[in-house]
């Protein structure tokens, strides 16, 4: 089997949620700003999932483009272990072409998490540019999983028209207050950039 026999298709998060939560090192997709998802299939078998969305940091897009809708972040990428060497490169390449042909996106941003020993090898292999490091950060450790600090500031408008914390955000906030969740420091992440159109 070669990677060119695989199929890359745009999809909804529901199609790949369980897969990503199983195969991605983070183990979750909670709190992500999701704008586009992709599935990688070997015949009828799902073997990869990818999620793109708005940048996690407010107004960070201003460093890369003229408008927010011109920038997306590659938020999650994972495949099953038993795939050919170039599978992830093929998967990324197909999604970049989709963005170029179907959207106004000009810049893809992604981060390699040094805490997990990631240096961005797959991004280098697909010609992303390393543009620096983030600042140090902290995450919330809750039930053995890590969540971004902004998780506890995720609001929605409830049925009574009142702005309130989303139920999951409230659970994490309560856990911090009662000591069943805690903050952990994280080292800087590698920042990678792909310009699919000139600015």
């Amino acid at each position: 089997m070669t990677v060119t026999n695989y199929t890359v298709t745009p999809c909804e998060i529901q199609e790949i949620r369980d897969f990503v939560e199983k195969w991605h090192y983070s183990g979750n997709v909670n709190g992500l700003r999701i704008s586009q998802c992709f599935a990688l299939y070997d015949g009828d078998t799902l073997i990869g999932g990818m999620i793109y969305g708005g940048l996690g940091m407010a107004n960070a897009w201003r460093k890369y483009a003229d408008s927010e809708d011109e920038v997306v972040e590659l938020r999650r990428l994972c495949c099953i272990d038993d795939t050919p060497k170039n599978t992830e490169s093929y998967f990324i390449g197909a999604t970049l072409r989709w963005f170029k042909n179907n959207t106004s996106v000009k810049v893809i941003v992604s981060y390699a998490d040094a805490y997990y020993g990631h240096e961005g090898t797959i991004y280098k292999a697909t010609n992303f540019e390393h543009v620096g490091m983030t600042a140090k950060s902290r995450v919330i450790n809750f039930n053995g999983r890590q969540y971004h600090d902004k998780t506890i500031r995720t609001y929605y408008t409830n049925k009574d028209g009142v702005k309130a914390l989303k139920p999951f955000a409230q659970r994490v906030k309560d856990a911090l207050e009662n000591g069943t969740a805690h903050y952990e420091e994280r080292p800087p992440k590698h920042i990678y950039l792909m310009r699919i159109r000139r600015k």
Side-chain angles (χ1 to χ4, degrees), residues 58-186:
N59 297 318
W61 62 266
R62 296 179 186 275
K63 295 187 290 186
Y64 307 117
D66 297 323
S67 66
E68 188 171 7
D69 62 1
E70 294 177 340
V71 184
V72 294
E73 180 182 335
L74 199 173
R75 306 302 303 265
R76 297 286 188 273
L77 164 61
C78 57
C79 296
I80 62 171
D81 292 334
D82 187 22
T83 56
K85 180 179 179 181
N86 298 322
T87 299
E88 289 182 333
S89 298
Y90 172 79
F91 195 7
I92 290 174
T95 65
L96 295 180
R97 288 189 294 276
W98 186 90
F99 275 106
K100 187 172 184 177
N101 295 329
N102 295 282
T103 74
S104 60
V105 169
K106 294 182 178 180
V107 179
I108 309 286
V109 181
S110 196
Y111 300 90
D113 197 335
Y115 177 79
Y116 293 96
H118 298 164
E119 296 183 355
T121 302
I122 186 61
Y123 303 127
K124 295 174 186 176
T126 47
N127 297 316
F128 277 69
E129 177 187 2
H130 187 272
V131 295
M133 305 291 290
T134 67
K136 291 181 180 179
S137 63
R138 62 180 187 167
V139 298
I140 300 168
N141 189 314
F142 176 50
N143 285 341
R145 292 185 175 183
Q146 284 74 47
Y147 300 92
H148 194 281
D149 184 48
K150 67 178 172 51
T151 299
I152 60 171
R153 297 186 299 278
T154 307
Y155 291 87
Y156 77 114
T157 302
N158 66 23
K159 62 183 179 180
D160 298 318
V162 178
K163 183 179 177 182
L165 277 176
K166 287 189 174 181
F168 180 77
Q170 188 64 59
R171 288 198 299 275
V172 175
K173 186 175 182 181
D174 292 344
L176 281 170
E177 291 173 356
N178 66 32
T180 55
H182 60 275
Y183 282 105
E184 293 181 359
E185 299 297 318
R186 289 289 187 266

